[in-house]
Structures are given as structure tokens and as C-alpha cells.
Amino acid sequence: RILRRDKSTFSRGLRARNYAVIPLSERSGLIQWVDESIPLFSVYKHWHRRTRVATSTPVRPSDMFYGKLVPALKEKGIITSSRKEWPTDVLRKVFLDLIDETPNWLLSKEIWCASSSATDWFSRTQAYSRSVAVMSIIGYVIGLGDRHLDNILVDFATGEVVHIDYNVCFE
């Protein structure tokens, strides 16, 4: 609502995609289905299946991360599981290694394939960029953690990202 009421954010198309949540108890509730959207991990998984050997099962990104992180920490003599003690330089190297293993055009190509024209593709990539920016700010403000490729959805009809699974904010 805040973004819709402000003329400058409204004119830039800045908005946070939302969906209905109905709490049933302290530990359960009903969540509205988010139409036309798929988890980022599904996009990655489809790419992996198209480009890898048919018998190869896509490795979960968290497994890829820890598969690189644990040896890098051991190499530095660090045996702690406390994230606060992981050196930034090690995390950065692992992150950059993972980036090198995944094509930087993956989302752009998927948005292109879902678009009917170059103008449509441009609108969707703008919506993608704006929604990532808005959701990053909102996530920072509310202290949202536990972000991974299964709880960030992409709506290829609009290009927007939709975050799901906010339960870590309320624990």
C-alpha cells in the first residue's frame, strides 16, 4: 500500500507482489496459490536437465554451496558451523565459483522465451529488476532470512519475483 500511495514509486512501477494468508493456528494456515509463477530452483533444474547428461540429477544449490564451502573452510583450518565465524573472503570465493558454474543469461533467456516481442521482453525485465529491488529492501527491513531458490518465485507472465515462506520472520 505504501508503494501504491506514493506517486513517485507508483509511476516507476515499484510494487511488492502479495498473496493472501489465512492463519488457522499458531503453526498452520492457508496460503493463496501464486498463479503463473515457478520457483527459481525449477528454472535452474530445467536448465540443468537440458544441458547435462540425462541420468544426472540436478544438485540442490545449497548442496553445491556447502560442497564448496566445507573444503574451503577446512583449507583455512576453520571447523566451526557458526556462520558468524565464516570469513568473508571464503564466502566470496565460493559465491564467485558458483556464479561461474551457472550461466548469467539463464533468467533473461527464460523471460525472452515467455515474451511475445522485444517490447514485451523489455517490460518484463524491467518488472523483474524493479521487483528484485523492492523485495530486497523489504526483506532487509523485516529481517527476512532463509532465502533460497525454492522460496523465491518468478512470474514469467509479468517478470516479477514473489517471495514466499516468511515464517523465519516470526519465530
Side-chain angles (χ1 to χ4, degrees):
R1 291 184 193 175
I2 294 170
L3 296 174
R4 279 184 273 166
R5 281 186 281 182
D6 183 80
K7 288 179 184 177
S8 65
T9 58
F10 182 78
S11 68
R12 288 184 178 99
L14 299 177
R15 72 184 201 117
R17 181 92 170 264
N18 56 11
Y19 49 90
V21 176
I22 302 168
L24 299 175
S25 72
E26 271 187 35
R27 310 268 329 142
S28 65
L30 297 174
I31 301 173
Q32 176 185 356
W33 188 261
V34 184
D35 289 327
E36 304 296 326
S37 59
I38 64 170
L40 280 174
F41 182 64
S42 291
V43 176
Y44 171 81
K45 195 165 43 176
H46 292 292
W47 164 76
H48 189 275
R49 286 188 179 140
R50 285 191 311 262
T51 60
R52 303 285 196 246
V53 179
T55 58
S56 172
T57 303
V59 177
R60 298 207 59 83
S62 57
D63 294 339
M64 292 170 58
F65 172 74
Y66 286 108
K68 291 184 177 299
L69 179 67
V70 171
L73 289 172
K74 283 183 182 176
E75 186 178 298
K76 292 243 181 187
I78 300 167
I79 310 173
T80 181
S81 61
S82 172
R83 291 180 178 199
K84 292 179 182 179
E85 295 178 28
W86 295 347
T88 306
D89 62 317
V90 172
L91 291 170
R92 181 180 186 82
K93 182 180 181 334
V94 168
F95 177 67
L96 293 173
D97 287 348
L98 290 170
I99 285 174
D100 286 342
E101 295 175 12
T102 306
N104 61 1
W105 47 259
L106 185 57
L107 278 175
S108 178
K109 183 177 180 182
E110 293 294 329
I111 293 172
W112 173 259
C113 290
S115 302
S116 60
S117 66
T119 303
D120 189 32
W121 173 80
F122 184 74
S123 295
R124 291 175 194 208
T125 56
Q126 291 292 306
Y128 173 79
S129 298
R130 290 179 176 130
S131 65
V132 166
V134 167
M135 293 311 298
S136 295
I137 292 167
I138 290 171
Y140 179 79
V141 169
I142 66 173
L144 184 59
D146 188 36
R147 298 295 83 198
H148 52 78
L149 299 181
D150 279 322
N151 60 22
I152 302 173
L153 310 179
V154 179
D155 180 345
F156 286 110
T158 65
E160 294 175 305
V161 297
V162 184
H163 284 248
I164 59 172
D165 191 5
Y166 289 89
N167 74 338
V168 296
C169 292
F170 309 108
E171 293 184 328

